[in-house]
Amino acid sequence: MNISSYLNELRLELTDHPNKEEILLEYKAAMEAKQHELMLVGIPVQSAEKQVLVEFGNPKEVALSYHQKSSSIDFLKGMISINYFIFLIGALLTFFYTTGFTDVTTGLWEQLIQWKWAILLAYCCLQVWMYFKHGYSYGFKGRGKNRQYLFIALLPNYLLMSAVLFSETIHTWFSPLLNPSFLVACIFATIAFYPMNQLAVRIGVVHSI
């Protein structure tokens, strides 16, 4: 096998990866640069090429790592969508309740008040499970952009808690829910989400080994 056949095999293994051409160009440039570097120190052309092929690894394993990274990002985007969808539903319910839109939303709001502790616990468990699942499914290769995506996913949590604490109007909207103990629990949960979910990813990675 030479560099050209290596790249052809890598192309086949990458199949329909969205960044296939960019990956191939990067590998071609890196492999040729490495070969040139080895030749400058006196290694013959063929020997330098063989050494490059060994250093860059099996094309199947390289392609698999890129597929895993792509799937990992898709999974993280899915988690972001779920969190934003939950907040969208909550925002609509709050709007309809505060405007007295229908008796149905009033009834749903009353159920929300009754089950608020269970809902908070279920939401925390959902967060932890999703990030554990991410760590378990994609291992170390899935951790690269986890912090960035985690912050984006939790942005609505931070914004809502800030609004509740510092906006009297927003606080009034949620006042039926926010007795002192529940408010403290929500603040604690919001602060804990980031480190808690990072820990869940790490535990998932460890269990994937």
Side-chain angles (χ1 to χ4, degrees):
M1 178 184 287
N2 55 29
I3 291 177
S4 179
S5 60
Y6 180 100
L7 292 171
N8 287 333
E9 185 174 341
L10 181 57
R11 177 185 294 276
L12 293 174
E13 294 296 336
L14 286 169
T15 59
D16 58 350
H17 192 285
N19 300 319
K20 178 168 67 174
E21 295 304 323
E22 290 84 349
I23 294 170
L24 290 169
L25 287 173
E26 288 178 4
Y27 262 75
K28 183 176 186 295
M31 295 177 83
E32 290 177 349
K34 183 64 178 179
Q35 183 184 19
H36 182 69
E37 179 185 326
L38 293 172
M39 290 168 60
L40 287 176
V41 297
I43 298 176
V45 176
Q46 292 184 343
S47 298
E49 189 172 39
K50 288 180 181 179
Q51 187 171 333
V52 169
L53 295 173
V54 171
E55 289 186 14
F56 277 75
N58 189 301
K60 291 183 179 180
E61 294 179 357
V62 172
L64 179 60
S65 70
Y66 277 100
H67 283 302
Q68 286 179 326
K69 289 177 183 178
S70 179
S71 298
S72 171
I73 292 174
D74 289 341
F75 190 91
L76 286 167
K77 288 180 179 178
M79 290 191 291
I80 291 173
S81 299
I82 290 172
N83 200 45
Y84 277 65
F85 179 74
I86 291 172
F87 269 79
L88 176 61
I89 296 299
L92 289 174
L93 180 59
T94 303
F95 173 77
F96 289 138
Y97 170 73
T98 55
T99 56
F101 186 70
T102 66
D103 292 336
V104 174
T105 53
T106 301
L108 288 173
W109 188 265
E110 291 174 353
Q111 289 295 315
L112 183 65
I113 295 172
Q114 183 178 351
W115 291 94
K116 60 186 178 182
W117 286 103
I119 292 171
L120 178 61
L121 178 61
Y123 180 74
C124 292
C125 291
L126 175 65
Q127 288 277 333
V128 171
W129 178 83
M130 286 193 303
Y131 282 92
F132 171 84
K133 184 69 175 177
H134 174 253
Y136 184 83
S137 298
Y138 303 106
F140 288 102
K141 294 174 182 177
R143 293 182 61 187
K145 291 191 174 182
N146 179 61
R147 293 183 180 180
Q148 174 187 343
Y149 280 92
L150 177 54
F151 177 78
I152 295 172
L154 294 176
L155 186 58
N157 301 68
Y158 301 138
L159 293 176
L160 177 60
M161 185 51 59
S162 298
V164 169
L165 291 175
F166 301 111
S167 171
E168 186 175 348
T169 301
I170 303 295
H171 186 89
T172 301
W173 291 353
F174 292 96
S175 57
L177 281 169
L178 298 176
N179 57 43
S181 58
F182 189 71
L183 178 59
V184 170
C186 289
I187 294 172
F188 177 78
T190 303
I191 295 172
F193 275 142
Y194 189 90
M196 181 174 66
N197 289 342
Q198 284 283 43
L199 178 61
V201 172
R202 293 179 183 178
I203 294 173
V205 169
V206 170
H207 280 76
S208 71
I209 299 173

